[in-house]
Amino acid sequence: MKLRRWLADRWVMGVALLVLAYLSLPILVVAGLSFNRPSSRLSYDFNEFTLDNWTQPCATSDMCDAVVRSMEIGLIATLVSTVLGTLMAFALVRHSFKGRSGINGLIFLPMATPELVMGTSLLALFVWSDGQLRATFGFGIPQGFWTIVIAHVMFCVSFVVVTVKARLAGMDRRLEEAAMDLYASEWQTFRRITLPLVLPGIVAAALLAFSLSFDDFIITNFNAGTTVTFPMYVWGAAQRGIPPQVNVIGTAMFAIALLLVGATTLRGRRARRAALAAPVAAVGAPKSAS
């Protein structure tokens, strides 16, 4: 009876752990292959353990150039989309204005639109804009680095808005009101209460935007011109054999993201505890004699 009750109380957790293990299986395979010396460029079986892939991650110079280019594009797109998306999320959650419901619907369009449609639409937009600029001002914006950045910002903003909105919707406004009651200014309340509480959502949105930008292939392929990003390099290398250093890059990116998520979660817990303890400490503090 005790075993049956124990299983009945924890079967949902067990199923969730099995699903997470299944989802993590491809990541574990990639991490294992990063220590593999394949028998040939077209072989993906585990042949021999080696650390050469980690000690020489840039054995293929073209791959490292593509990785650096993808990171540059991802960082710029993440910074722009995080700033714009956070401001939009605050406006949609904290303020009422005409057209608010329509904007909420438009935000989901880039998320719901197939990447093939978005890629071809952006391609037509960039080609038309380049022609118009050259005819009017004598210069244009050729397809390449900056067209990729603009395209990535356009679809990353929606994910940032949705993520930050969820964090703002679950935040207790009474903490901010308590700070204002204790004579904190609006800027002090935002810096010491609102921002620490919203920061985990902002960081999560930034990580999501960077991941989407770093591994995007379809939209990038339509608007890259002669620029080669890391996903485009992997797609081209698949025809002649993917180097094992690709697994090193994937494993390293996953490990860095995991560390950032863990650090952000820990910081968010400390910020919430501090925010909850601040009003209580202020109320319990002795009043000075007038």
Side-chain angles (χ1 to χ4, degrees), residues 60-228:
T60 306
S61 59
D62 294 342
M63 186 196 72
C64 283
D65 293 339
V67 171
V68 172
R69 195 172 297 112
S70 289
M71 293 188 67
E72 292 174 348
I73 294 172
L75 289 174
I76 297 174
T78 299
L79 178 62
V80 176
S81 61
T82 301
V83 172
L84 294 178
T86 301
L87 295 176
M88 292 173 63
F90 269 94
L92 292 171
V93 174
R94 297 296 180 86
H95 302 280
S96 297
F97 52 90
K98 188 176 181 179
R100 176 184 175 186
S101 58
I103 294 176
N104 276 318
L106 290 175
I107 286 173
F108 286 95
L109 282 181
M111 303 172 61
T113 304
E115 290 191 351
L116 182 64
V117 176
M118 182 174 292
T120 53
S121 302
L122 288 171
L123 173 62
L125 174 64
F126 290 138
V127 171
W128 178 83
S129 301
D130 181 65
Q132 292 295 320
L133 289 174
R134 292 185 185 277
T136 305
F137 300 103
F139 66 90
I141 304 178
Q143 290 178 287
F145 184 90
W146 290 110
T147 56
I148 298 175
V149 171
I150 296 172
H152 287 193
V153 169
M154 291 186 69
F155 67 79
C156 286
V157 166
S158 297
F159 291 92
V160 174
V161 173
V162 172
T163 305
V164 178
K165 275 183 60 180
R167 181 62 181 173
L168 285 172
M171 195 178 72
D172 191 355
R173 293 293 300 273
R174 292 176 296 180
L175 298 174
E176 297 172 297
E177 295 172 357
M180 298 290 286
D181 290 339
L182 296 172
Y183 304 104
S185 63
E186 292 183 358
W187 169 246
Q188 290 174 330
T189 302
F190 176 78
R191 184 169 59 90
R192 297 190 177 186
I193 303 297
T194 307
L195 184 59
L197 292 175
V198 182
L199 187 61
I202 297 175
V203 174
L207 291 175
L208 178 60
F210 182 80
S211 300
L212 293 171
S213 174
F214 186 84
D215 68 359
D216 180 76
F217 172 76
I218 299 177
I219 298 176
T220 303
N221 192 35
F222 276 103
N223 302 279
T226 58
T227 303
V228 179

Side-chain angles (χ1 to χ4, degrees), residues 33 36-45 47 53 56 58-63 233-247:
L33 290 177
N36 178 40
R37 180 182 286 116
S39 57
S40 65
R41 292 185 63 89
L42 297 176
S43 175
Y44 295 97
D45 58 335
N47 180 51
N53 301 329
Q56 299 176 356
C58 290
T60 306
S61 59
D62 294 342
M63 186 196 72
Y233 172 83
V234 174
W235 177 73
Q239 303 175 10
R240 57 183 184 275
I242 299 177
Q245 284 79 8
V246 170
N247 300 316

